């Protein structure tokens, strides 16, 4: 019988295959699929942190060019992925690469603000990745990064309606499978788009909430995202350790490698 990690990897591979068949027109000129060219670190992430049941799944929108677009890890700011999450693996290149947005993998020197904020909050409150992931997981709803001719990001909600339909069908199916495997009580959208997609895909399967997105394009996030997100999580009744508790936290917990689940259905 397969483990949770094995089924999570299988679900990610199916998502990768499903979205790789989709096509997108202008103004989108380039589409990156990190599940293809950055599968090595994505695999490490799932095997290390997606191998057990969770209480909370935090859901982002889609990759950023200097985060998951480089490392294959959600909110994957390079230094945080390597130093805090302990993940480092070879990363390839997309077949059709934008000259202004090259994929350099872990050699990328640009910092993704959103990723630095997310994992910075986790480290400051939980101390270690192992402690945080004991009951929590971070995922992205959509695995694709969309760019226009200028190199500007185009978020999934700005795609043409016909293009969104096929993409959302694949992403909804994957999110439902992740929730089936990890069995969380809560799915928390990081931003309004992720919250809405979770509600559409999951219905009443789980409790659904939202926290502020950490994007530097948000004036509110720039005035103190970590404090705002902490307050929002606590308002939902979710535990967030006090900063002073970091030195008193429990020792890191080894991820159970052989937790088992039923085979995938459908």
């Amino acid at each position: 019988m397969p483990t949770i990690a094995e089924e999570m990897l299988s679900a990610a591979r199916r998502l990768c295959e499903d979205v790789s068949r989709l096509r997108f027109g202008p103004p989108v000129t380039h589409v990156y699929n990190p599940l293809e060219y950055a599968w090595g670190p994505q695999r490490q992430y799932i095997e290390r942190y997606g191998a057990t049941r969770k209480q909370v799944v935090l859901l982002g929108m889609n990759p950023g060019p200097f985060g998951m677009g480089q490392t294959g890890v959600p909110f994957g700011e390079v230094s945080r992925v390597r130093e805090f999450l302990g993940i480092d693996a070879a990363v390839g290149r997309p077949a059709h690469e934008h000259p202004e947005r090259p994929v350099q993998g872990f050699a990328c020197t640009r910092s993704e603000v959103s990723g630095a904020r997310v994992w910075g909050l986790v480290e400051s409150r939980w101390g270690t990745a192992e402690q945080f992931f004991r009951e929590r997981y971070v995922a992205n709803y959509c695995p694709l990064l969309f760019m226009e001719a200028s190199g500007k990001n185009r978020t999934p909600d700005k795609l043409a309606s016909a293009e969104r339909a096929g993409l959302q069908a694949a992403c909804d199916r994957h999110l439902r499978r992740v929730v089936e495997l990890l069995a969380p009580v809560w799915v928390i959208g990081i931003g309004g788009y992720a919250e809405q997609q979770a509600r559409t895909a999951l219905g009443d399967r789980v409790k659904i909430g939202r926290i502020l997105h950490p994007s530097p394009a948000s004036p509110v996030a720039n005035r103190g995202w970590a404090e705002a997100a902490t307050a929002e999580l606590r308002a939902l009744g979710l535990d967030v350790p006090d900063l002073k508790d970091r030195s008193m936290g429990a020792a890191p917990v080894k991820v159970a490698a052989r937790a088992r689940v039923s085979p995938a259905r459908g």
Side-chain angles (χ1 to χ4, degrees):
M1 187 177 294
T3 66
I4 292 176
E6 288 166 347
E7 289 287 10
M8 286 282 287
L9 288 168
S10 177
R13 284 193 293 266
R14 179 179 179 182
L15 176 62
C16 178
E17 293 168 0
D18 287 347
V19 299
S20 69
R21 290 191 284 265
L22 301 174
R23 296 295 177 265
F24 303 89
V28 172
T29 59
H30 294 73
V31 180
Y32 289 6
N33 184 354
L35 296 183
E36 288 182 336
Y37 62 81
W39 178 249
Q42 166 72 191
R43 183 183 187 108
Q44 285 186 23
Y45 179 72
I46 291 174
E47 290 178 337
R48 186 170 298 183
Y49 300 119
T52 58
R53 307 286 194 190
K54 310 294 181 183
Q55 289 295 309
V56 179
V57 170
L58 292 154
L59 186 69
M61 178 187 287
N62 74 312
F66 308 112
M68 186 174 177
Q70 300 291 334
T71 64
V73 173
F75 292 94
E77 198 269 345
V78 173
S79 65
R80 296 287 183 170
V81 172
R82 180 188 288 119
E83 297 163 16
F84 181 64
L85 299 181
I87 292 172
D88 195 346
V91 174
R93 307 283 285 267
H96 183 44
E97 192 173 56
H98 195 293
E100 299 298 322
R101 293 289 183 266
V103 172
Q104 300 170 303
F106 286 81
C108 178
T109 58
R110 293 282 296 269
S111 176
E112 185 192 58
V113 173
S114 294
R117 285 174 173 172
V118 167
W119 298 118
L121 169 63
V122 170
E123 184 173 16
S124 70
R125 297 287 177 163
W126 282 271
T128 66
E130 289 79 8
Q131 188 65 21
F132 171 79
F133 282 103
R134 186 177 184 179
E135 294 186 343
R136 300 158 198 87
Y137 189 70
V138 179
N140 268 332
Y141 172 72
C142 170
L144 300 180
L145 168 61
F146 305 96
M147 285 170 284
E148 301 177 8
S150 65
K152 178 184 176 181
N153 280 7
R154 190 165 187 86
T155 53
D157 57 312
K158 300 297 192 298
L159 298 172
S161 58
E163 295 173 342
R164 289 200 309 269
L167 180 65
Q168 289 174 358
C171 295
D172 286 354
R173 180 166 53 245
H174 178 257
L175 179 57
R176 286 192 289 266
R177 183 58 177 153
V178 167
V179 166
E180 180 182 17
L181 291 167
L182 301 184
V185 175
W186 281 93
V187 171
I188 305 297
I190 303 176
Y193 175 83
E195 178 201 18
Q196 183 55 56
Q197 297 312 115
R199 292 188 184 280
T200 300
L202 301 173
D204 60 359
R205 288 175 172 86
V206 294
K207 297 178 180 179
I208 295 173
R210 178 175 69 183
I211 62 173
L212 179 68
H213 195 282
S215 170
S218 166
V220 179
N222 291 336
R223 289 196 293 269
W225 178 80
E227 294 78 9
T230 296
E232 289 171 321
L233 289 168
R234 286 175 171 170
L236 293 170
L238 298 174
D239 177 60
V240 179
D242 291 335
L243 289 169
K244 64 182 180 181
D245 290 342
R246 178 178 172 185
S247 64
M248 302 168 60
V253 178
K254 185 178 291 187
V255 172
R258 302 301 297 176
R260 297 187 176 276
V261 297
S262 59
R265 297 189 293 276

